[in-house]
Amino acid sequence: MSLAPGTHATHGPLPQIPTGHTGTIKLGVLLYNGFDLLDVMGPMRVLGEELNTLNIEIIFISHSLEPCSSSQQVKVAPHHTLESAPKLDIFFMPGGIGQTFYTENPTFVQLIKNRVEASTWTFTVCTGSGILATTGLIDGYAATTNKSLFEWVAATGPKVKWVKRARWVQDGKFVTASGVSAGIDAALFFVSQLTSVEKAREVATYIEYTWHENADEDPFSDEYPYTARP
């Protein structure tokens, strides 16, 4: 199911930090061989920035503790496996050419589904929304993905309300970003919702990034026939 390019990208309020949660926000990043480096490191640069005043611990997780190589040839060593990681407040899934390692394995799909269900927020970038869609947990929810691979990802979740024109989409606890650098925009959205818009703008200025504050304004949608305006 695909929604029209002009469909709005936000759907209801993002859940706030739970009442009584006074500790560290644990952010778990799912890794695999062939993940996209900027999908991960762009949002982590924003969410891990001390200026945002969020007390976040970033935890890299994978199917094993072996280092995972990004498609840009940078390796990252996981801290935990999907089974051993602590409870995660934010579960993050990047896109990349290697994601079928998880989506084609029912055991891993179930482990990922468990992590999503237990999280307060779930955040994907690029084709990472295809991993999320494979769990069935965003059936009936709005989501987006990388424009160049939109049809392929949409096929992984035919009951998802795919939004063609969006830098990111937030529906309930789910935040799905478009391609690659859009993850930075979505991470700044997270900061704006959990702290303030002013704080998110301060972080964007500090990292010298022009934040696309309006999620519906996606300058890349018209570059691809499937997501272009009719």
Side-chain angles (χ1 to χ4, degrees):
M1 179 190 301
S2 294
L3 300 182
T7 301
H8 292 299
T10 54
H11 303 266
L14 183 75
Q16 294 300 292
I17 298 172
T19 302
H21 189 297
T22 58
T24 301
I25 295 173
K26 294 187 181 297
L27 192 172
V29 179
L30 183 67
L31 298 177
Y32 49 88
N33 286 316
F35 73 91
D36 186 275
L37 187 64
L38 188 58
D39 280 13
V40 172
M41 297 308 175
M44 296 310 109
R45 179 65 180 83
V46 170
L47 294 171
E49 172 55 53
E50 60 183 17
L51 280 178
N52 69 33
T53 69
L54 292 172
N55 182 14
I56 288 182
E57 177 187 2
I58 297 172
I59 303 168
F60 293 114
I61 62 178
S62 188
H63 66 286
S64 75
L65 295 180
E66 291 295 317
C68 295
S69 182
S70 73
S71 54
Q72 291 72 36
Q73 304 180 52
V74 175
K75 289 188 176 182
V76 179
H79 300 106
H80 289 280
T81 66
L82 274 163
E83 295 96 330
S84 71
K87 184 180 184 303
L88 303 170
D89 298 296
I90 304 174
F91 187 47
F92 178 93
M93 290 173 277
I97 58 175
Q99 70 183 57
T100 53
F101 175 80
Y102 287 128
T103 59
E104 295 179 355
N105 185 311
T107 299
F108 287 140
V109 171
Q110 185 60 53
L111 287 171
I112 291 168
K113 183 176 182 178
N114 294 343
R115 289 291 176 178
V116 173
E117 289 178 322
S119 69
T120 301
W121 306 277
T122 297
F123 182 4
T124 71
V125 177
C126 198
T127 58
S129 56
I131 304 176
L132 177 57
T134 302
T135 69
L137 293 176
I138 55 170
D139 286 354
Y141 285 84
T144 196
T145 190
N146 186 303
K147 302 302 178 293
S148 65
L149 296 167
F150 204 99
E151 289 182 89
W152 173 66
V153 176
T156 66
K159 296 181 181 179
V160 177
K161 298 175 182 178
W162 293 102
V163 181
K164 294 181 179 180
R165 192 176 194 87
R167 280 299 273 175
W168 77 89
V169 168
Q170 177 260 317
D171 195 347
K173 77 174 197 175
F174 303 107
V175 176
T176 55
S178 184
V180 197
S181 65
I184 300 174
D185 292 322
L188 288 164
F189 167 73
F190 254 105
V191 173
S192 75
Q193 295 298 295
L194 300 184
T195 59
S196 68
V197 173
E198 291 73 24
K199 184 59 65 177
R201 290 171 179 163
E202 182 182 355
V203 172
T205 298
Y206 183 73
I207 66 172
E208 299 190 10
Y209 182 78
T210 301
W211 178 26
H212 293 81
E213 292 191 38
N214 185 344
D216 292 307
E217 294 181 359
D218 187 342
F220 301 101
S221 294
D222 290 334
E223 299 297 320
Y224 300 95
Y226 188 76
T227 58
R229 293 182 191 275

